[in-house]
Amino acid sequence: MAEAKPQVPSSKSSSRSLPDFKQSVKLKYVKLGYHYLITHGMYLFVTPLAGIMAAQLSSFSLENLYNLWDHLRFNLISVIICSTLLVFLSTLYFLSRPKPVYLVNFACYKPEEANKCTRQMFVHMSQSKGSFTKENVDFQRKIIERSGLGESTYLPEAIMNVPPNPSMAMARKEAEVVMFGALDELFGKTNLKPKDVGILIVNCSLFNPTPSLSAMIVNRYKLRGNILSYNLGGMGCSAGLISIDLAKRLLQVHPNSYALVVSTENITLNWYYGNNRSMLVSNCLFRMGGAAILLSNKRSDRRRSKYQLVHTVRTHKGADDKCYTCVTQEEDVDGEIGVSLSKDLMAVAGDALKTNITTLGPLVLPMSEQLLFFATLVGRKLLKMKIKPYIPDFKLAFEHFCIHAGGRAVLDELEKNLQLSEWHMEPSRMTLYRFGNTSSSSLWYELAYSEAKGRIKKRDTIWQIAFGSGFKCNSAVWKALKTVNPAKEKNPWMDEIDNFPVTVPKIAALET
């Protein structure tokens, strides 16, 4: 957790004749007043205007109304044309509006106790496999001590076995356990019949068997023959929000439909057994998990839905070679396949984030923040003033933040750059601690944490943001349609939510 900055006392000159206004005036209240003035400026302008119009209307006599009617009666053609045009434009507006997309409910899979892997067990497994050098076992120990992961993350059966027995059959078994576990819970929560699902989107980056994962779901739940089925692969940890965006676009052209999104990753066949350190980091961070999300465009579902999708913003930096190669699945010098992480990863992620929020900002930020950002930009670019770039305060636009729990370094950097508090970062940090990096599904464990804590109130706005290979940065903005009562919720946090948050030290040393 970020430490509070110590207060540094300022020294005052005894000869100073004027008070130090920076010390005597709370500048944060000045900024708060500025935001309030700009945000409510329209109301301040409209209110007196409405008063003047009301005063004018109140002076109308019956004779004035009769004269107005007489004027309209003798200009019947103009009235009909204007009325027809107004009706036509109103109809065109309502027909061209995008259909609302509702998140009815979602479910996150919680693995069995037999899959639980403590940090000490992880190091012991690395030692017992015999494929890692002593130096690289120590390297993995250092990574896990600084990772932010706790003692209760999960690994699939094939990796937990001694010796490990990864195979296509075991990888399929992991996929079935995770996906079907999340889907069974989701169908139970929503009372939805599988035959009612019209759109199915599954994303899993590294495991793409034939038949596909989406076909496995169609077969298991006997989904209808004309279902629109998609299987996204190779798109990294941000693929969950790509799936949401794809579902949104499909729901715009297929009325009265349900879209089912399943986000997961498969570890069984993607555990690295070589000694390339850039590939060993993934072993230390990635863990077992998955989520299922039900979306609807039926207006009748608004009453029972939890959230409405407001915006999706996708940023792709793949045209830049450095961005394209910063996360790569490849073979090492010994022929072992793994996912290599470049040293440029944090810089690339920061650049992708900057591009993404530049697009998202005008859609969500209040006018007061946009004016400050624009004024700073003009000062720096046109007037060549030596001032720092203005970082918009996204806390004015969002009540909750779900930042992909990719690793501690990523969360630390975003907390600093977006100027977020420990409370805002808590869902992401606790998800990393409790479940590890579950790839594209981590955002849903984070939202489930906020629900379990009773933090989601009606009309709250949630920002989900994720990074993935390619390199991509994607955002989704949701608005809560109801206050979520944790007493009525079933999610992987509920039976232990009172134990969180916990303090996660920067280095949690393991016994040697």
Side-chain angles (χ1 to χ4, degrees):
M1 297 292 183
E3 295 180 356
K5 294 183 179 179
Q7 297 294 326
V8 181
S10 60
S11 58
K12 295 183 179 181
S13 172
S14 58
S15 61
R16 180 181 295 213
S17 57
L18 294 175
D20 186 350
F21 290 106
K22 288 186 177 181
Q23 296 297 325
S24 60
V25 177
K26 296 289 186 181
L27 291 181
K28 67 176 182 179
Y29 294 122
V30 175
K31 186 176 180 181
L32 184 63
Y34 160 75
H35 286 302
Y36 187 86
L37 179 64
I38 297 297
T39 303
H40 298 85
M42 183 61 70
Y43 299 106
L44 296 174
F45 172 76
V46 169
T47 301
L49 187 63
I52 295 171
M53 290 179 64
Q56 288 291 331
L57 290 174
S58 65
S59 65
F60 260 50
S61 64
L62 288 175
E63 185 179 353
N64 295 133
L65 292 174
Y66 178 78
N67 291 334
L68 178 62
W69 167 251
D70 199 47
H71 177 73
L72 293 175
R73 188 159 53 89
F74 287 105
N75 292 275
L76 188 59
I77 295 177
S78 299
V79 172
I80 292 174
I81 293 174
C82 291
S83 300
T84 303
L85 183 62
L86 182 62
V87 171
F88 173 75
L89 292 175
S90 299
T91 303
L92 186 65
Y93 169 73
F94 284 107
L95 289 177
S96 62
R97 288 177 64 192
K99 296 181 178 67
V101 175
Y102 304 113
L103 191 160
V104 181
N105 215 325
F106 68 96
C108 300
Y109 175 67
K110 186 174 185 178
E112 302 293 333
E113 286 293 311
N115 296 106
K116 192 169 284 188
C117 178
T118 66
R119 297 183 306 141
Q120 194 68 55
M121 287 173 62
F122 172 83
V123 175
H124 177 71
M125 285 165 46
S126 298
Q127 290 173 328
S128 62
K129 284 180 174 57
S131 59
F132 304 120
T133 64
K134 182 180 182 303
E135 291 77 16
N136 280 334
V137 170
D138 292 338
F139 171 75
Q140 291 179 79
R141 180 193 298 275
K142 290 179 180 178
I143 294 294
I144 203 73
E145 288 177 339
R146 294 162 173 78
S147 65
L149 273 67
E151 303 294 346
S152 300
T153 58
Y154 301 94
L155 285 173
E157 178 184 346
I159 303 299
M160 296 285 288
N161 288 338
V162 181
N165 59 332
S167 64
M168 178 63 76
M170 293 301 290
R172 282 185 173 274
K173 182 178 179 181
E174 180 193 349
E176 290 173 354
V177 166
V178 173
M179 295 192 305
F180 299 163
L183 285 168
D184 288 345
E185 183 178 322
L186 181 62
F187 284 131
K189 283 181 173 182
T190 59
N191 295 318
L192 182 72
K193 297 177 182 178
K195 290 284 186 183
D196 292 335
V197 177
I199 300 167
L200 172 65
I201 303 172
V202 181
N203 67 269
C204 182
S205 191
L206 297 176
F207 181 56
N208 294 285
T210 301
S212 66
L213 298 179
S214 59
M216 290 166 60
I217 294 173
V218 172
N219 177 260
R220 164 65 180 258
Y221 295 99
K222 308 305 177 189
L223 303 184
R224 65 198 200 199
N226 65 343
I227 190 168
L228 301 176
S229 176
Y230 300 87
N231 201 97
L232 307 183
M235 303 192 81
C237 299
S238 67
L241 295 186
I242 295 175
S243 297
I244 294 294
D245 180 69
L246 175 58
K248 179 191 77 172
R249 295 173 185 273
L250 291 169
L251 288 171
Q252 295 304 310
V253 294
H254 296 279
N256 297 315
S257 297
Y258 286 109
L260 194 59
V261 173
V262 180
S263 294
T264 187
E265 194 51 79
N266 194 283
I267 297 176
T268 297
L269 288 180
N270 295 291
W271 196 259
Y272 178 61
Y273 294 97
N275 283 282
N276 185 323
R277 292 193 175 184
S278 68
M279 298 179 176
L280 283 171
V281 176
S282 297
N283 286 7
C284 301
L285 298 178
F286 281 89
R287 294 295 184 265
M288 185 180 183
I293 304 97
L294 180 64
L295 302 175
S296 171
N297 61 8
K298 300 182 180 182
R299 292 190 181 274
S300 58
D301 279 325
R302 179 183 175 89
R303 181 180 295 272
R304 70 172 183 142
S305 297
K306 285 184 172 181
Y307 307 96
Q308 181 174 343
L309 183 59
V310 183
H311 300 292
T312 53
V313 175
R314 293 170 54 180
T315 301
H316 204 307
K317 307 292 287 185
D320 184 289
D321 289 343
K322 185 172 71 172
C323 298
Y324 175 72
T325 58
C326 70
V327 180
T328 310
Q329 185 182 25
E330 58 187 2
E331 293 176 332
D332 65 10
V333 293
D334 299 316
E336 294 285 347
I337 297 177
V339 176
S340 173
L341 304 180
S342 165
K343 293 180 180 179
D344 297 321
L345 179 59
M346 292 304 299
V348 167
D351 184 49
L353 173 65
K354 179 182 176 182
T355 305
N356 189 269
I357 64 177
T358 300
T359 305
L360 180 66
L363 300 175
V364 297
L365 287 170
M367 185 58 66
S368 56
E369 283 296 286
Q370 296 190 48
L371 288 175
L372 285 174
F373 178 80
F374 179 74
T376 306
L377 186 65
V378 170
R380 296 180 67 245
K381 299 296 184 181
L382 297 181
L383 305 179
K384 305 300 181 182
M385 298 171 65
K386 294 183 178 180
I387 54 177
K388 292 182 179 180
Y390 181 71
I391 300 174
D393 187 357
F394 280 91
K395 298 187 291 296
L396 295 173
F398 305 110
E399 283 76 29
H400 308 281
F401 296 79
C402 296
I403 300 169
H404 168 53
R408 184 170 197 154
V410 175
L411 297 181
D412 288 345
E413 196 67 21
L414 263 71
E415 178 180 2
K416 181 178 70 175
N417 289 339
L418 296 177
Q419 299 176 352
L420 301 179
S421 67
E422 291 185 4
W423 188 88
H424 291 113
M425 297 298 299
E426 187 180 309
S428 300
R429 292 195 186 279
M430 293 305 102
T431 295
L432 181 64
Y433 178 84
R434 177 63 182 83
F435 293 98
N437 181 349
T438 60
S439 190
S440 57
S441 66
S442 69
L443 299 174
W444 301 103
Y445 287 90
E446 293 164 17
L447 185 55
Y449 179 89
S450 294
E451 290 187 350
K453 280 291 186 182
R455 296 179 178 179
I456 304 297
K457 308 299 180 185
K458 188 175 181 178
R459 290 186 288 274
D460 279 0
T461 308
I462 300 99
W463 181 17
Q464 291 181 320
I465 184 165
F467 303 89
S469 58
F471 190 86
K472 298 178 286 293
C473 177
N474 301 320
S475 292
V477 178
W478 305 88
K479 185 174 183 179
L481 298 176
K482 62 173 68 173
T483 297
V484 178
N485 183 359
K488 298 180 180 179
E489 285 301 306
K490 180 183 179 183
N491 73 42
W493 296 95
M494 291 311 303
D495 58 351
E496 52 186 297
I497 191 62
D498 292 337
N499 299 331
F500 295 94
V502 299
T503 301
V504 185
K506 290 187 176 181
I507 301 177
L510 290 169
E511 295 181 3
T512 56

